[in-house]
Amino acid sequence: MAFSAEESKLVSIFIQTLLYGAYTVLFVITCWVLIDKRPRGQPINRTMLSVAIVMFVLATMHIGVNYTRIIKAFIIFKNEPGGPGAFFNQLSEFTQIFGSTIYVAQTLVGDSVVLLRAYLVWGKRFYVIAFPCLLLLGSAVTGGGILFSFAKVEPEAEIFVVELGQWIVSFFSMTLATNIICTLLVAYRIWYINRRSISFSEQSLRPIMLLVIESGAIYSATLTTLLILYKTQSWFQYVLLDAISPIVGLVFSMIIVRIGLGLTSVSGETGDFGKVSTLQTTQPSSFSAVPRLPWGPEGRQEKRNLEISLRRIGRRAQLIYLVERDHHLVR
């Protein structure tokens, strides 16, 4: 039996509440990892902490708006013509536009974090993330288009109307593409570094790579399902739409918490090891390995500096590594 709008919203608020509860726990642990589990003299990673707080505030606002809409639909407007379903179809209603604004903002913040991680992992090479940057810009534009269409659409129109559908499908498609591309970029970079260093280092970055892929796959799978449900004009899309708000924060916090608590380590074993709040490049600090490898024609030896810095910060979640190549390296 197909879900109606009011049935879907009741299910969605239940699922969102469960996910928000799990996210609240992870948020507290994330703050503890970033603030308390850091080495003496090491400054707090204010960027990651700020992002974590912003995401949690947005998720809290979003679930608050949804509870407001549930109360208005099933208590205040229950006896109005059309009942709760008619209220949920009022796309120009303030709480609908405000909740959608929060959703778009949180999505853009999440996509920006994924984009920043890829940028840092690739040694701040902008050309690598140029296309994802365009996708992020497109997401911002289409998100604005959705909000503008909500304000201008006919009062009786459903969310599946053509003038809305074009903006919504474009928005979902661009944010999905951004996450898939950036996740693959980060995973490939970690795999490449691990492959280059495994011959002279016992430490493997494969668990980190798998963690990044798993985290990206959760969000991407949710977006793909949401896009399919919307294209099939299923009201059940509300369930996934509201669930995405805490999922964005859960995915962001998952990497920090799992590695910060030793649930995923660089060697693949649980332990009190340097943890990750984000993947970023920096100057080497732990050890430096400079293997001599054959490059170029006629077996010419070219110096290849591959430095992986895994800062043992038993009190902070941060994976740091650097791949530094000689300027005259023959590719």
Side-chain angles (χ1 to χ4, degrees), residues 204-221:
S204 173
L205 298 176
R206 187 171 179 270
I208 306 297
M209 179 187 69
L210 294 179
L211 177 57
V212 170
I213 294 175
E214 290 171 5
S215 301
I218 293 173
Y219 184 50
S220 298

Side-chain angles (χ1 to χ4, degrees), residues 37-280:
K37 286 183 69 64
R38 59 188 178 91
R40 295 178 181 177
Q42 189 75 18
I44 297 175
N45 191 325
R46 298 185 183 276
T47 300
M48 288 297 103
L49 183 60
S50 299
V51 171
I53 294 174
V54 168
M55 283 190 172
F56 184 75
V57 169
L58 290 174
T60 302
M61 293 174 62
H62 191 268
I63 194 172
V65 170
N66 278 346
Y67 268 109
T68 301
R69 288 178 57 77
I70 290 292
I71 293 172
K72 294 182 70 173
F74 289 97
I75 297 178
I76 300 176
F77 292 95
K78 66 176 182 179
N79 295 323
E80 296 293 324
F87 173 79
F88 290 129
N89 281 330
Q90 295 179 18
L91 302 179
S92 59
E93 201 268 338
F94 173 75
T95 56
Q96 169 68 29
I97 296 178
F98 186 52
S100 299
T101 302
I102 296 172
Y103 172 80
V104 171
Q106 189 171 22
T107 299
L108 294 178
V109 171
D111 290 352
S112 299
V113 171
V114 175
L115 191 63
L116 176 63
R117 181 175 293 128
Y119 174 67
L120 294 174
V121 165
W122 279 86
K124 299 183 179 181
R125 300 169 190 171
F126 181 77
Y127 67 87
V128 175
I129 62 164
F131 183 63
C133 278
L134 292 177
L135 291 175
L136 180 62
L137 179 62
S139 296
V141 172
T142 53
I146 292 173
L147 301 177
F148 179 80
S149 298
F150 278 169
K152 298 298 182 180
V153 73
E154 296 181 4
E156 302 299 326
E158 293 184 348
I159 198 170
F160 303 111
V161 294
V162 176
E163 55 265 34
L164 278 175
Q166 294 174 343
W167 288 111
I168 293 175
V169 170
S170 298
F171 178 77
F172 288 155
S173 300
M174 288 185 180
T175 187
L176 175 62
T178 301
N179 277 272
I180 291 177
I181 292 174
C182 289
T183 299
L184 292 178
L185 283 173
V186 173
Y188 172 77
R189 185 62 170 171
I190 296 175
W191 171 84
Y192 174 80
I193 293 174
N194 187 67
R195 185 175 66 108
R196 302 295 300 178
S197 63
I198 198 65
S199 60
F200 59 89
S201 173
E202 296 180 356
Q203 294 170 323
S204 173
L205 298 176
R206 187 171 179 270
I208 306 297
M209 179 187 69
L210 294 179
L211 177 57
V212 170
I213 294 175
E214 290 171 5
S215 301
I218 293 173
Y219 184 50
S220 298
T222 306
L223 280 175
T224 302
T225 307
L226 174 59
L227 186 59
I228 293 173
L229 289 174
Y230 182 82
K231 289 295 293 182
T232 57
Q233 298 189 1
S234 170
W235 289 109
F236 198 75
Q237 57 100 17
Y238 275 134
V239 177
L240 289 185
L241 184 66
D242 292 338
I244 282 182
S245 177
I247 286 177
V248 171
L250 283 168
V251 169
F252 169 78
S253 302
M254 188 181 300
I255 297 178
I256 299 176
V257 171
R258 284 184 60 178
I259 302 181
L261 297 181
L263 302 178
T264 300
S265 68
V266 177
S267 62
E269 300 176 353
T270 299
D272 184 23
F273 191 59
K275 326 305 191 231
V276 58
S277 61
T278 184
L279 300 176
Q280 61 181 350

Side-chain angles (χ1 to χ4, degrees), residues 17-29:
T17 301
L18 293 178
L19 291 174
Y20 178 78
Y23 177 36
T24 301
V25 175
L26 271 183
F27 170 72
V28 173
I29 299 176

Side-chain angles (χ1 to χ4, degrees), residues 1-14:
M1 182 179 68
F3 275 78
S4 63
E6 50 266 46
E7 290 172 336
S8 296
K9 290 301 290 186
L10 285 176
V11 174
S12 72
I13 196 65
F14 175 73

